[in-house]
């Protein structure tokens, strides 16, 4: 029963008692003496004053109740968290303004709507599980115990954007005796964003530490390998020189020498991966350097593979080693046509000039590289192949890593080493079955490209 009804009943009861007493006094009034009449009038006046005082107290109590109710609704509606009441069908019976504001809708748009309408599709199961825990259990063990459940899920705003929330739900009984659920909704989007950023920073830190460890190991192995190979090749050469001409052993030793040279080349590539073989740098026209490589790349590509290029007629100019730029392009294009799995898909080469703002911050290698506020030349190779799984993106530049078979080589690792030696970076965009985009960035040079002999003539 409401407070107003209680006060109204109390006033009506007092009025009835007063009327009954007044009627009895009127009947007895003629039988009273003057002194008794005066005494009765005095008592009536006292009763009247008492009633007036009681009435004033009731009016004050009513005013306090109205003020308390107003304060309650202010606290409920303007609370820093959302509140709503749900029935067994998970329909919203009541909601405060904060809940409506969190979802970007009017409060009227929430009432009588299923709360699942505002929950992210992939998180619907979490909501149904909470309903089962709250409603489909023994009321004697739950409703009286006032047990609560907490979960984290994503809700949808009016504009369709997700909102991370923590739901704290507790069972209750409404005024009609029906089971309901009181839900507290807290916005945890910022804390979730901090968790993601912290996880990304930790992953970047681990990747940088792994790269440093690989560098130390690869450097030590490469130098030691080189020293041992020099001993091997030197002894093979001396042995060949001491053999009589036409000896059958010469053929076998020559093969051994060739294998030693190939191992030396692998060692050289490992040093390139470390950025310890930068080569001689000079101002070059990046578009022209890549243009000279296109015919060879198209000839080497699998049958049906189409290499399309969009290159400026001039520039951009970078300070680089032409042979290493050809090596980068060859490795990226080879990686692209291998991802096509022989389906004859296109490979696209683009060169342009970009600013710092147009470079991806995520999936950028080296991880600790930061662009300067100057223009960069961008060499982009994209394909329509199988793409790269998210879990493999951080491994593709590791030496000998491959998703196809073990011991693939140092292709992308060497690309990263050359790029580091040129003070640049590589970014990767890829999704499984949707292809990949590799972008290589080099600082633009203000130097002029020297003329070759034909241009001088």
């Amino acid at each position: 029963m409401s407070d107003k009804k209680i006060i109204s009943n109390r006033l009506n009861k007092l009025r009835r008692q007063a009327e009954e007493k007044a009627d009895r006094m009127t009947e007895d009034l003629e039988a009273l003496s003057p002194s008794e009449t005066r005494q009765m009038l005095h008592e009536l006046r006292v009763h009247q004053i008492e009633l007036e005082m009681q009435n004033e107290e009731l009016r004050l109590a009513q005013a306090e109740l109205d003020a308390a109710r107003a304060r309650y609704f202010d606290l409920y509606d303007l609370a820093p968290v959302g509140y709503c009441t749900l029935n067994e069908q998970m329909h919203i019976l009541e909601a405060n303004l904060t809940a409506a504001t969190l979802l970007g809708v009017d409060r009227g748009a929430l009432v009588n709507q299923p709360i699942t309408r505002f929950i992210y599709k992939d998180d619907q199961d979490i909501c149904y599980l909470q309903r089962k825990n709250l409603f489909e259990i023994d009321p004697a063990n739950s409703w009286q115990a006032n047990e609560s459940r907490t979960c984290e899920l994503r809700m949808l705003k009016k504009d369709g954007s997700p909102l991370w929330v923590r739901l704290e739900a507790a069972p209750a009984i409404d005024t009609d005796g029906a089971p309901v659920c009181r839900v507290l909704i807290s916005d945890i989007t910022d804390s979730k964003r901090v968790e993601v950023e912290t996880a990304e920073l930790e992953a970047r830190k681990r990747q940088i530490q792994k790269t440093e460890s690989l560098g130390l190991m690869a450097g030590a192995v490469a130098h030691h390998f080189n020293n041992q190979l020099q001993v091997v090749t030197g002894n093979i050469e001396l042995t060949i020189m001491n053999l009589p001409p036409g000896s059958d052993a010469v053929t076998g030793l020559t093969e051994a020498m060739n294998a030693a040279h190939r191992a030396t080349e692998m060692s050289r590539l490992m040093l390139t991966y470390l950025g310890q073989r930068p080569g001689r740098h000079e101002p070059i026209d990046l578009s022209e350097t890549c243009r000279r490589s296109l015919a060879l790349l198209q000839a080497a590509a699998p049958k049906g593979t189409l290499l399309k290029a969009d290159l400026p007629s001039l520039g951009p100019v970078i300070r680089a080693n032409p042979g290493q730029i050809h090596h980068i392009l060859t490795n990226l294009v080879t990686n692209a046509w291998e991802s096509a799995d022989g389906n004859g898909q296109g490979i696209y080469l683009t060169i342009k000039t970009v600013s710092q703002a147009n470079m991806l911050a995520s999936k950028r290698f080296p991880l600790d590289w930061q662009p300067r506020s100057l223009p960069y030349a961008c060499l982009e190779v994209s394909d329509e192949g199988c793409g790269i799984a998210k879990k493999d993106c951080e491994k593709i530049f590791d030496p000998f890593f491959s998703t196809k078979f073990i011991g693939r080589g140092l292709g992308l690792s060497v690309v990263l080493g050359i790029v580091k030696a040129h003070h640049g970076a590589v970014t990767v965009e890829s999704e499984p079955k949707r292809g990949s985009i590799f972008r290589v960035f080099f600082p633009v040079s203000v130097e002029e490209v020297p003329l070759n002999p034909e241009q001088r003539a």
Side-chain angles (χ1 to χ4, degrees):
M1 185 179 295
S2 65
D3 295 333
K4 284 187 176 181
K5 196 169 184 180
I6 293 173
I7 293 173
S8 177
N9 290 342
R10 185 176 177 186
L11 289 173
N12 290 335
K13 182 178 180 180
L14 287 172
R15 184 177 182 85
R16 286 195 302 272
Q17 290 175 349
E19 287 176 349
E20 291 173 0
K21 191 167 186 178
D23 290 340
R24 290 195 301 271
M25 290 175 63
T26 300
E27 294 174 358
D28 298 335
L29 188 61
E30 295 178 356
L32 297 177
S33 65
S35 62
E36 291 175 334
T37 302
R38 284 193 299 273
Q39 180 64 29
M40 182 173 289
L41 289 173
H42 174 73
E43 291 179 0
L44 285 172
R45 192 162 189 84
V46 171
H47 283 304
Q48 180 183 6
I49 294 172
E50 288 178 350
L51 288 172
E52 289 175 353
M53 292 175 66
Q54 289 177 352
N55 194 34
E56 181 63 23
E57 289 177 359
L58 289 173
R59 281 197 299 269
L60 290 174
Q62 181 64 45
E64 289 178 0
L65 284 173
D66 290 340
R69 187 176 292 105
R71 288 194 300 272
Y72 165 76
F73 281 110
D74 284 343
L75 291 172
Y76 178 74
D77 277 333
L78 304 179
V81 294
Y83 291 108
C84 62
T85 302
L86 310 178
N87 61 13
E88 282 192 276
Q89 290 73 41
M90 301 298 284
H91 286 199
I92 301 173
L93 303 178
E94 186 180 18
N96 69 345
L97 288 175
T98 305
T101 302
L102 284 175
L103 299 175
V105 298
D106 294 331
R107 180 157 54 176
L110 292 177
V111 177
N112 296 325
Q113 295 294 325
I115 193 171
T116 50
R117 175 184 170 186
F118 305 97
I119 294 178
Y120 197 71
K121 183 179 178 181
D122 292 345
D123 294 349
Q124 296 272 347
D125 289 344
I126 300 175
C127 183
Y128 286 118
L129 178 61
Q130 294 303 312
R131 177 198 176 279
K132 182 177 181 180
N133 289 337
L134 288 167
F135 288 102
E136 297 182 7
I137 48 182
D138 184 3
N141 296 329
S142 177
W143 300 114
Q144 275 104 21
N146 199 32
E147 297 178 358
S148 62
R149 298 287 188 275
T150 302
C151 65
E152 294 180 359
L153 49 75
R154 288 165 292 182
M155 301 188 77
L156 290 173
K157 295 183 179 180
K158 184 178 181 179
D159 59 5
S161 59
L163 171 77
W164 271 104
V165 299
R166 179 184 293 109
L167 299 184
E168 298 180 38
I173 300 293
D174 69 0
T175 54
D176 298 327
V180 294
C181 177
R182 313 286 189 196
V183 180
L184 183 150
I185 307 172
S186 304
D187 184 358
I188 58 171
T189 304
D190 290 339
S191 62
K192 281 290 183 181
R193 185 182 299 115
V194 170
E195 285 181 16
V196 172
E197 291 174 353
T198 301
E200 289 177 350
L201 287 174
E202 288 295 327
R204 286 170 62 87
K205 182 179 178 181
R206 288 194 299 270
Q207 184 68 11
I208 290 172
Q209 289 173 343
K210 183 188 75 173
T211 302
E212 291 175 350
S213 299
L214 281 173
L216 291 172
M217 181 187 69
V221 169
H223 286 295
H224 182 71
F225 203 44
N226 260 340
N227 294 335
Q228 299 302 315
L229 284 171
Q230 288 176 9
V231 175
V232 171
T233 54
N235 281 283
I236 292 175
E237 289 174 354
L238 288 173
T239 303
I240 292 174
M241 290 173 61
N242 292 327
L243 288 173
S247 172
D248 293 338
V250 172
T251 302
L253 290 172
T254 302
E255 289 295 328
M257 177 68 76
N258 292 335
H261 286 317
R262 288 194 295 271
T264 302
E265 175 64 14
M266 183 64 68
S267 178
R268 186 187 67 81
L269 290 176
M270 290 180 70
L271 292 174
T272 304
Y273 159 68
L274 298 172
Q276 296 180 13
R277 293 179 61 89
R280 185 175 63 86
H281 292 185
E282 61 186 32
I284 64 170
D285 185 317
L286 182 59
S287 296
E288 182 61 28
T289 301
C290 292
R291 192 177 289 113
R292 287 196 295 265
S293 302
L294 289 178
L296 291 175
L297 290 172
Q298 183 65 71
K303 185 178 179 180
T305 301
L306 182 60
L307 179 58
K308 300 179 181 179
D310 181 10
L311 309 178
S313 57
L314 292 174
V317 176
I318 64 172
R319 188 170 183 83
N321 182 286
Q324 291 182 345
I325 297 301
H326 173 75
H327 203 129
I328 288 176
L329 185 59
T330 300
N331 277 290
L332 291 180
V333 171
T334 301
N335 185 71
W337 78 47
E338 286 182 349
S339 71
D341 292 327
N343 294 327
Q345 295 162 323
I347 299 171
Y348 307 92
L349 169 63
T350 306
I351 291 178
K352 54 191 173 182
T353 302
V354 299
S355 64
Q356 176 184 357
N358 294 324
M359 299 183 193
L360 286 176
S362 62
K363 297 182 182 178
R364 186 169 67 196
F365 305 87
L367 294 176
D368 55 350
W369 183 84
Q370 293 296 328
R372 293 175 287 174
S373 55
L374 48 81
Y376 281 82
C378 175
L379 188 161
E380 178 183 300
V381 177
S382 60
D383 64 72
E384 301 168 340
C386 60
I388 305 169
K390 185 177 180 180
K391 64 182 179 62
D392 292 331
C393 274
E394 292 184 355
K395 304 176 186 176
I396 57 176
F397 293 102
D398 292 352
F400 303 105
F401 174 79
S402 175
T403 58
K404 296 185 179 295
F405 52 84
I406 297 174
R408 184 72 180 121
L410 291 165
L412 290 180
S413 305
V414 170
V415 168
L416 183 58
I418 294 173
V419 169
K420 286 193 291 187
H422 286 77
H423 309 292
V426 186
T427 63
V428 183
E429 287 185 66
S430 186
E431 291 183 30
K433 299 181 180 180
R434 301 190 65 179
S436 304
I437 303 174
F438 284 78
R439 295 185 179 94
V440 183
F441 299 95
F442 302 99
V444 170
S445 174
V446 296
E447 300 176 88
E448 293 185 359
V449 178
L451 297 177
N452 58 41
E454 294 179 358
Q455 290 173 319
R456 293 194 188 98

